[in-house]
Amino acid sequence: MDTGVKDKTVLVTGGSAGIGAATAVAYGREGARVALTYRSREDAAEQVVKRIEQAGGEAMAVRMDLEAHETVPAAVTAVEERWGGIDVLIANAVRWGTIPPGALRFEEVPIQEWQAALHANVVGNALLATTVLPGMRERRFGRIVFVSSAVAEEGLPGPGPYGTAKMALYGLTRSLAWEAGGDGILVNAVSVGLTLTDVERPVTTGVFDTIAARTPSKRLSTAEDVASLIVFLGSAANRNVTGEIVREGSATARSIHFT
Ligand SMILES: NC(=O)c1ccc[n+]([C@@H]2O[C@H](COP(=O)([O-])OP(=O)(O)OC[C@H]3O[C@@H](n4cnc5c(N)ncnc54)[C@H](OP(=O)(O)O)[C@@H]3O)[C@@H](O)[C@H]2O)c1
């Protein structure tokens, strides 16, 4: 299938690791110009750039911190100055949170943690979309994919602020789809379940097996599996899917609860 992203400019946030890195590499393979963001691991981001370039693609890395809102338009400007407008936005970066699951009861979570989670993961992503939207409208083409989590719908004791912020991305997706659809801009969200990326390494193999067993396909996804869905939704091959929340991998499981 021709994804139609050759020579399109794609911005993948959180592209220095995990699902974002796999997505950036997958877009590079499709012939897109790929800008990927990192927050602190510049070296890791440059490694991803190198992988894309070594495979014959074009890529650049730029710093962006969803917690520091001034870095959001600055990152977009850096990409536009090099390549012109952004055609595809993959809002994948995440502020995970500072409180380990189960460490505190709901009522013990400081209000500052709620504010930080929503400030970064909701307002930061809304600002990102707001920044790229005028250019997409002008060119009458755009694709936006928000990367959410099964935790949003399923819940999980512990990461209340994270799950709440991820649920808000669905509201953002639905509203934007209606707002921008008439200008050729399609907006979707991907609900990601427990995925085999570096971040989940501390989770025991037993938990992996339990969750995989509850999944219709009986296996967990890799970052590359998730990336292939993101690339489709965020491509010209996606001709008219918009406002959808697409569940992937263990997000399709009966229950992701560990306990
Ligand atoms: N992995 C899973 O099992 C899983 C499950 C459900 C949902 N998801 C969702 O999938 C997406 C990717 O997850 P992942 O596991 O691939 O993540 P990851 O490996 O931890 O990578 C996170 C990325 O976000 C960047 N980042 C961290 N804090 C940031 C901030 N405050 N502002 C901007 N960027 C920031 C990191 O940059 P640095 O490298 O510079 O730190 C990195 O590029 C996330 O939206 C996550 O919620 C993942």
Side-chain angles (χ1 to χ4, degrees), residues 13 19-20 23 66 89-96 121-122 125 144-155 159-174 187-195 197 199-200 226-227 229-230 233 244-252 256:
T13 71
I19 292 164
T23 302
L66 288 170
L89 166 65
I90 308 302
N92 162 81
V94 65
R95 176 197 179 276
W96 286 109
N121 296 328
V122 183
N125 277 319
I144 299 178
V145 180
F146 292 105
V147 179
S148 184
S149 169
V151 169
E153 291 174 287
E154 188 77 14
Y162 169 81
T164 304
K166 287 295 185 182
M167 196 69 182
L169 294 182
Y170 296 161
L172 200 50
T173 299
R174 297 288 301 163
V187 187
N188 292 285
V190 172
S191 173
V192 178
L194 182 66
T195 302
T197 63
V199 76
E200 298 296 354
V226 182
L229 172 63
I230 294 172
L233 291 171
E244 283 299 307
I245 293 141
V246 184
R247 295 179 190 84
E248 205 281 345
S250 78
T252 63
I256 64 160

Side-chain angles (χ1 to χ4, degrees), residues 4-227:
V5 295
K6 188 166 165 30
D7 298 329
K8 295 242 184 272
T9 297
V10 179
L11 175 62
V12 182
T13 71
S16 52
I19 292 164
T23 302
V25 168
Y27 271 114
R29 214 178 293 124
E30 294 297 315
R33 292 183 290 256
V34 187
L36 54 104
T37 75
Y38 61 93
R39 188 198 51 165
S40 54
R41 288 181 291 174
E42 184 176 4
D43 284 3
E46 289 298 345
Q47 286 301 316
V48 179
V49 167
K50 210 176 281 173
R51 269 178 74 191
I52 295 169
E53 289 176 342
Q54 280 169 352
E58 266 190 282
M60 66 184 281
V62 58
R63 185 172 182 276
M64 187 210 73
D65 183 349
L66 288 170
E67 292 183 66
H69 285 175
E70 70 281 1
T71 65
V72 173
V76 170
T77 301
V79 179
E80 287 176 343
E81 279 173 355
R82 177 154 172 196
W83 288 324
I86 291 163
D87 303 298
V88 178
L89 166 65
I90 308 302
N92 162 81
V94 65
R95 176 197 179 276
W96 286 109
T98 55
I99 300 166
L104 294 180
R105 300 177 76 175
F106 189 91
E107 62 272 31
E108 292 166 347
V109 174
I111 199 69
Q112 290 81 359
E113 181 60 22
W114 283 94
Q115 287 164 336
L118 301 181
H119 177 81
N121 296 328
V122 183
V123 183
N125 277 319
L127 175 62
L128 193 55
T130 300
T131 309
V132 299
L133 212 55
M136 289 181 174
R137 285 201 202 270
E138 219 170 90
R139 291 184 299 281
R140 300 195 68 76
F141 178 90
R143 298 288 182 269
I144 299 178
V145 180
F146 292 105
V147 179
S148 184
S149 169
V151 169
E153 291 174 287
E154 188 77 14
L156 194 66
Y162 169 81
T164 304
K166 287 295 185 182
M167 196 69 182
L169 294 182
Y170 296 161
L172 200 50
T173 299
R174 297 288 301 163
S175 299
L176 253 183
W178 281 98
E179 285 269 342
D183 290 328
I185 301 162
L186 305 181
V187 187
N188 292 285
V190 172
S191 173
V192 178
L194 182 66
T195 302
L196 302 170
T197 63
D198 288 354
V199 76
E200 298 296 354
R201 261 190 205 149
V203 179
T204 65
T205 312
V207 170
F208 281 4
D209 292 345
T210 305
I211 295 174
R214 293 180 190 161
T215 301
S217 64
K218 305 292 178 216
R219 72 174 186 90
L220 300 182
S221 285
T222 61
E224 288 70 26
D225 292 329
V226 182

